[in-house]
């Protein structure tokens, strides 16, 4: 009963490096989401996907890319990491649209130095 | 930009009391309302959700909607120190997005 699994849990990057945050879910949910959470700022939607092969931008997509080749996986790619991308990143999934509850992974804490 | 507003707190209540958490939303078209609990350093955990057709009670938790005034409330009866956390209100927008408030910090004192 894993739910939404994110890896890694922690990572430190240098400015300009790239990395991929992994997210996989085993609930057969069609919809998946990436959020970032900064202290005191709430959750901001980066990208979301309504099914394999379909992705769309959220509120704060700049500096990030996503892909959705399977129902289970929704990786988030950071190109040319910047200090402003220091944050906690959460992946979530839901059965269908925003009328359904979203279930969150444990998060990835990312620091860019 | 659809707004969801919450008082950041901290809201302090004594153990055994009722904690009342509120959030207001701006989109009159919203139909689904969610409450998440987030402990420090952890991910949001779904507590309850309601739709625009009614309130819901689940154990010590009650979620209520006032559509006319556009606010949602979460009542926690018999509050326990383990309820101390940040509570996030989320409201749907047409399509696929949830709009989250910044959260209210709740402190239950023994």
């Amino acid at each position: 009963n894993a739910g939404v699994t994110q890896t890694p849990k922690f990572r430190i990057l240098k400015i300009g490096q790239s990395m991929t945050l992994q997210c996989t879910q085993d609930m057969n949910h069609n919809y998946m989401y990436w959020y970032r959470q900064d202290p005191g700022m709430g959750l901001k939607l980066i990208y979301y996907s309504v099914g394999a092969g379909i992705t769309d931008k959220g509120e704060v997509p700049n500096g990030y890319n996503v892909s959705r080749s399977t129902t289970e996986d929704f990786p988030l790619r950071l190109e040319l990491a910047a200090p402003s991308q220091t944050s906690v990143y959460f992946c979530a999934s839901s059965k269908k649209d925003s009328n359904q509850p979203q279930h969150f992974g444990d998060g990835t804490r990312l620091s860019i130095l | 930009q659809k707004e969801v507003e919450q008082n950041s707190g901290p809201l302090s209540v004594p153990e055994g009391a009722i904690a009342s958490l509120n959030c207001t939303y701006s989109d009159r078209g919203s139909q689904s309302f969610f409450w998440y609990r987030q402990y420090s350093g952890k991910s949001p955990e779904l507590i309850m959700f309601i739709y625009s057709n009614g309130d819901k009670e689940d154990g010590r938790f009650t979620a209520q909607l006032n559509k006319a005034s556009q606010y949602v409330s979460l009542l926690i009866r018999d509050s326990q120190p383990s309820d101390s956390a940040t509570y996030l209100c989320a409201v749907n927008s047409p399509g696929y997005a949830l709009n989250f408030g910044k959260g209210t910090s709740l402190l239950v004192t023994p």
Side-chain angles (χ1 to χ4, degrees):
Chain A
N1 227 12
V4 179
T5 302
Q6 291 184 238
T7 56
K9 295 191 183 304
F10 305 94
R11 184 73 183 267
I12 298 174
L13 283 182
K14 294 182 178 179
I15 295 171
Q17 287 185 322
S18 300
M19 78 162 293
T20 299
L21 281 65
Q22 302 291 343
C23 175
T24 187
Q25 53 91 10
D26 63 359
M27 297 176 283
N28 201 31
H29 285 172
N30 287 323
Y31 293 62
M32 297 187 74
Y33 313 83
W34 274 106
Y35 293 92
R36 61 177 288 174
Q37 187 177 38
D38 300 315
M41 295 302 294
L43 288 158
K44 300 293 186 184
L45 182 66
I46 305 172
Y47 272 95
Y48 65 95
S49 169
V50 303
I54 306 170
T55 63
D56 207 348
K57 296 178 180 178
E59 185 181 355
V60 289
N62 292 343
Y64 307 95
N65 280 301
V66 294
S67 60
R68 185 93 181 273
S69 58
T70 67
T71 299
E72 295 78 20
D73 300 307
F74 190 39
L76 177 71
R77 178 83 177 161
L78 277 73
E79 306 280 3
L80 297 175
S84 61
Q85 294 177 305
T86 293
S87 189
V88 180
Y89 291 84
F90 290 106
C91 179
S93 70
S94 66
K95 280 186 182 178
K96 39 186 293 194
D97 60 19
S98 59
N99 284 310
Q100 299 292 319
Q102 294 181 15
H103 302 271
F104 285 80
D106 289 339
T108 295
R109 189 175 298 273
L110 180 63
S111 294
I112 315 293
L113 304 176
Chain B
Q1 176 68 25
K2 309 304 184 195
E3 299 289 336
V4 177
E5 301 286 344
Q6 294 182 257
N7 188 319
S8 62
L11 173 66
S12 182
V13 299
E15 184 175 356
I18 296 175
S20 178
L21 304 160
N22 299 308
C23 86
T24 60
Y25 60 95
S26 64
D27 186 358
R28 286 193 172 275
S30 296
Q31 298 179 324
S32 306
F33 308 89
F34 305 85
W35 284 101
Y36 287 85
R37 177 176 62 199
Q38 188 174 26
Y39 292 112
S40 180
K42 302 295 185 181
S43 63
E45 172 192 10
L46 180 70
I47 297 176
M48 294 189 70
F49 64 99
I50 58 174
Y51 296 121
S52 56
N53 59 354
D55 303 339
K56 184 190 287 186
E57 180 176 323
D58 184 1
R60 297 186 296 114
F61 299 92
T62 299
Q64 298 175 322
L65 171 65
N66 185 319
K67 288 188 69 175
S69 300
Q70 292 181 238
Y71 76 81
V72 191
S73 62
L74 178 70
L75 301 177
I76 306 175
R77 289 180 298 280
D78 188 24
S79 296
Q80 301 297 309
S82 60
D83 294 326
S84 298
T86 296
Y87 289 79
L88 304 175
C89 172
V91 178
N92 85 307
S93 289
Y96 312 109
L98 279 183
N99 293 305
F100 284 84
K102 295 180 181 180
T104 297
S105 176
L106 173 66
L107 178 64
V108 181
T109 55

